Amino acid sequence: MAWTTWVTLMGFVGLAALALLVAGPAAARTVPGAIAAITSRLALVAVVVGVLAVPAVLTDLAHGASQSGGYDYSAAWNSLYDGSNDGRLSGLEVTFSLVGAALLAPLTLRTVAAGRARRWLLGAGLAAGTVALGSTRFPDKTPDNWGRTVFETLMWMLHLIGGGVWLGGLAGLVVIAALGAVPAAERGAFWSAAIRRFSVCAMSCVAAIALSGLFLYWEHVDGPTQLVTTMYGRVLGVKILIFGGLLVLGVFNQFWLHPRIDALRAAGDQRPLATVLLRRFPVVVAVEVLLGLAVLFVAPFLHGSARNQAYQADLAKHSASATVDAKQLPKLAPKTAGGSTWAWGTVETIAVIAVMAGGYRLSGRLAGRRAAAAAGVPAADPGDLVGA
């Protein structure tokens, strides 16, 4: 149930972001006539996902409200906006999911998708979806430490929005490829532009996920040994391994597949290899989507903290009582950030941003060289004044 909720909420954000920031601008540059078809298809899938988020959220609430382990939908519905902070947040989650779907619904019509309202509706729908997704991590009580709570919430927003835009965007690329929204003659030009634009979004999302993940790791884990000695750590380790697989496929796309597609475009996209690569790209992206769904399946199992689990296990081990109730065991106080913590965090931030920016520039140079070679134009040497 939690997996379905995350998939629908994050999927809606990713699909709306893809249509607004990647697919629409790429089509406007290369295949203006296909903007309506691409937007309407993405909007249709996003509307379905946004509507499905409502029963997913209500089912999760119904299971939690039931006293017998079943599903009390009446109690779940009554809990929305019941005056408590949890009720307000759940109400926002449901309301803004429906608002986002309603805003994107007109774009399922090609006449609307081709008009000026496209960007405004996509932007408003993306904002509504972001609020629905963010309400899952907004604080449910007045914090004692506003600064820490605000920073924590910001990290969670980076984590969730980054994951939504990246994984939902990948799913949207599969939708565009599978439904044939782009005419065959213009696919090479469209995918070349769309891939480069999506690369910027994907690398930004990876940076946001990595940086927020490092903070959450620092907050909940005391050293690598807890990744194998605690349940939280083992689940987190599985999540990290799947995320690593996603990164490997992303590197493959960025440094091998994308430059070759750019080269095919420059060569006129007439060789048989063009079909092979353009077919391989959706397959690789589909595998990335499956891995992303696996990450979202594992994430709900992350409960508590590795620090507290290790601490409580040690207390239980040395307890004189034969039976110990884990709920009654004390917990460690939250970590406090010192000067060294901020220093290391700054270094990590600079390093992650530098790696992402450097990787994007390097892959762009590789694509430029391959495109120049495919077009029969020698690549200019930056140190050659004549070539410059």
Side-chain angles (χ1 to χ4, degrees), residues 272-294:
L273 184 60
T275 304
V276 176
L277 287 179
L278 289 174
R279 287 179 178 175
R280 183 178 297 179
F281 174 71
V283 172
V284 175
V285 173
V287 174
E288 290 186 71
V289 171
L290 292 177
L291 287 176
L293 294 176

Side-chain angles (χ1 to χ4, degrees), residues 56-372:
V57 173
L58 288 175
T59 300
D60 199 8
L61 292 173
H63 185 66
S66 175
Q67 301 295 328
S68 61
Y71 301 90
D72 190 344
Y73 285 96
S74 177
W77 180 259
N78 292 331
S79 70
L80 304 179
Y81 299 111
D82 61 356
S84 66
N85 288 333
D86 284 336
R88 294 188 189 95
L89 292 176
S90 298
L92 289 175
E93 200 173 343
V94 170
T95 300
F96 277 90
S97 295
L98 289 175
V99 169
L103 287 168
L104 265 60
L107 293 175
T108 58
L109 302 175
R110 294 195 181 188
T111 53
V112 179
R116 295 182 178 180
R118 181 183 66 85
R119 292 182 180 178
W120 292 100
L121 291 173
L122 286 173
L126 177 59
T130 301
V131 173
L133 180 60
S135 64
T136 61
R137 289 298 177 181
F138 291 158
D140 56 0
K141 60 182 179 180
T142 303
D144 297 326
N145 186 335
W146 275 97
R148 183 186 182 92
T149 302
V150 169
F151 188 80
E152 222 173 45
T153 304
L154 175 62
M155 290 298 102
W156 271 114
M157 291 299 292
L158 287 176
H159 212 66
L160 295 178
I161 295 174
V165 173
W166 184 23
L167 301 178
L170 287 172
L173 292 177
V174 174
V175 169
I176 295 174
L179 298 182
V182 183
E186 287 86 11
R187 285 175 187 170
F190 169 78
W191 282 112
S192 178
I195 289 169
R196 293 305 297 175
R197 291 189 69 92
F198 183 73
S199 294
V200 178
C201 293
M203 285 191 158
S204 300
C205 292
V206 169
I209 294 170
L211 292 173
S212 56
L214 286 170
F215 168 77
L216 296 173
Y217 175 88
W218 169 82
E219 189 176 43
H220 295 293
V221 182
D222 279 337
T225 56
Q226 291 186 356
L227 290 177
V228 294
T229 58
T230 65
M231 179 58 70
Y232 183 98
R234 288 191 284 270
V235 174
L236 180 60
V238 172
K239 183 181 176 184
I240 291 173
L241 288 175
I242 300 174
F243 181 74
L246 277 167
L247 288 182
V248 169
L249 286 177
V251 170
F252 171 77
N253 280 337
Q254 191 72 23
F255 291 97
W256 192 88
L257 201 55
H258 298 181
R260 282 163 175 77
I261 292 178
D262 283 343
L264 291 171
R265 179 190 177 192
D269 203 15
Q270 299 297 324
R271 295 174 291 168
L273 184 60
T275 304
V276 176
L277 287 179
L278 289 174
R279 287 179 178 175
R280 183 178 297 179
F281 174 71
V283 172
V284 175
V285 173
V287 174
E288 290 186 71
V289 171
L290 292 177
L291 287 176
L293 294 176
V295 169
L296 297 181
F297 181 79
V298 171
F301 291 95
L302 285 171
H303 291 293
S305 166
R307 298 175 65 241
N308 284 320
Q309 289 176 5
Y311 176 64
Q312 292 173 348
D314 186 65
L315 289 178
K317 181 179 179 182
H318 295 89
S319 174
S321 175
T323 59
V324 178
D325 186 359
K327 295 181 179 179
Q328 297 178 355
L329 290 173
K331 295 182 179 180
L332 291 171
K335 285 184 179 180
T336 56
S340 61
T341 306
W342 286 108
W344 277 110
T346 302
V347 171
E348 289 170 350
T349 301
I350 295 173
V352 169
I353 293 175
V355 169
M356 294 297 119
Y360 180 77
R361 289 178 63 86
L362 179 58
S363 66
R365 289 183 179 180
L366 290 175
R369 290 175 182 175
R370 288 190 175 275

Side-chain angles (χ1 to χ4, degrees), residues 1-56:
M1 289 181 295
W3 176 80
T4 305
T5 302
W6 289 120
V7 167
T8 51
L9 292 174
M10 297 176 75
F12 181 87
V13 170
L15 289 164
L18 180 75
L20 178 65
L21 304 175
V22 176
R29 285 182 52 194
T30 57
V31 198
I35 292 179
I38 293 172
T39 303
S40 63
R41 283 168 169 78
L42 290 175
L44 177 60
V45 178
V47 168
V48 171
V49 170
V51 172
L52 288 178
V54 175

